Amino acid sequence: MSRPAHDRADQPGIRLNINGQSVDAHEGMTLVEAAWQAGVPGITNVGCMEGVCGSCRVMMRRDRQVTVGLACQTFVENGLDVIFLPAASASRHFYDIADFKDSWDIHARFHGIFPEASRCRHCHGCVQSCPKDIKVEDGVALAASGRYREAGEIFFECVMCELCDVACPELIAPAHVGLFCRRVTAHFHLRPPNLISRIEELRKKREEADGNDKGEE
Ligand code: SF4
Ligand code: SF4
């Protein structure tokens, strides 16, 4: 884990631009720390510092090269131009997993919900934009061929930053393909035995507590 921002005053100074504002920072700071320290407006409730929530999506420009990433896991650099990206718009792919009663029709349902998934043009945009190094393109291909469990495993570390969705020229919404795969896999499989036992334990305790409450009335 990186040192707190206030501990880095002894580090070399760095100047960069965040959301159009010139910001002074120190080597070793993340972009989100630099933005907070400089009081860049509009950057609040962003930055768990652990790269697990996906809400601090940024676009960065170094000379003529443009890349994307997460501000909590990207370090400051001299002359870097950074723009915090707004929250992604709602997915156009609608379904209610509770309506899925029969695992035999998942494939038809998937292609009904994600008709674009079979049109992947293998441009690698999703892979190049993913800050978690997920093999997004492979995940989409597996899902499109009906291998939902394997596809879901590929997306295991996905933080739903949706940078892959923004990068996809076919509007496949790979992040949501991954979420679908994880949901259907969980929906049609028994939960882990320790989780089942714990939930049963809690259910029994709740029943006992309800019984005691009634006895006292
Ligand atoms: S798969 Fe997509 S949504 Fe998930 S972490 Fe990678 S870029 Fe973000
Ligand atoms: S960005 Fe879209 S079209 Fe390109 S490889 Fe990824 S899923 Fe396929």
Side-chain angles (χ1 to χ4, degrees):
M1 184 177 290
S2 60
R3 291 161 61 198
H6 57 75
D7 263 13
R8 300 206 200 90
D10 55 335
Q11 298 297 308
I14 283 182
R15 178 162 289 180
L16 67 161
N17 292 302
I18 301 181
N19 286 4
Q21 178 177 325
S22 179
V23 165
D24 288 314
H26 292 280
E27 200 171 281
M29 275 185 174
T30 62
L31 295 178
V32 81
E33 286 175 313
W36 285 344
Q37 178 176 271
V40 177
I43 301 176
T44 54
N45 300 324
V46 153
C48 56
M49 319 282 259
E50 300 281 342
V52 296
C53 77
S55 59
C56 58
R57 313 161 343 133
V58 283
M59 182 175 283
M60 296 163 283
R61 194 182 67 190
R62 297 170 184 84
D63 299 321
R64 292 188 174 183
Q65 192 198 15
V66 175
T67 56
V68 290
L70 296 179
C72 65
Q73 58 180 39
T74 307
F75 292 103
V76 293
E77 290 170 36
N78 258 322
L80 189 67
D81 275 312
V82 181
I83 297 288
F84 275 76
L85 298 171
S89 53
S91 171
R92 296 169 296 107
H93 304 89
F94 302 103
Y95 60 93
D96 183 347
I97 201 75
D99 292 341
F100 287 35
K101 309 289 183 214
D102 182 352
S103 62
W104 290 105
D105 68 359
I106 294 176
H107 209 38
R109 279 180 181 264
F110 173 78
H111 283 288
I113 299 162
F114 296 94
E116 310 89 353
S118 48
R119 294 204 295 268
C120 174
R121 61 171 86 166
H122 304 292
C123 65
H124 316 316
C126 51
V127 179
Q128 284 162 359
S129 64
C130 180
K132 305 301 283 184
D133 293 330
I134 292 170
K135 293 178 178 164
V136 187
E137 186 179 333
D138 293 351
V140 170
L142 284 167
S145 64
R147 294 161 67 180
Y148 301 107
R149 186 183 54 75
E150 290 160 81
E153 282 169 8
I154 283 189
F155 285 95
F156 188 68
E157 301 231 336
C158 173
V159 292
M160 287 305 288
C161 67
E162 297 181 311
L163 287 170
C164 54
D165 292 3
V166 176
C168 180
E170 291 290 347
L171 304 180
I172 289 171
H176 291 270
V177 168
L179 194 57
F180 176 95
C181 295
R182 289 154 70 190
R183 281 180 175 154
V184 288
T185 303
H187 185 66
F188 287 109
H189 280 75
L190 281 177
R191 281 22 175 205
N194 55 348
L195 181 59
I196 292 176
S197 307
R198 182 67 183 136
I199 288 173
E200 178 58 11
E201 228 175 85
L202 293 172
R203 190 189 63 76
K204 282 184 181 158
K205 280 189 181 150
R206 166 67 60 86
E207 266 183 12
E208 279 168 24
D210 288 349
N212 290 340
D213 286 350
K214 278 187 188 144
E216 286 169 12
E217 283 171 6

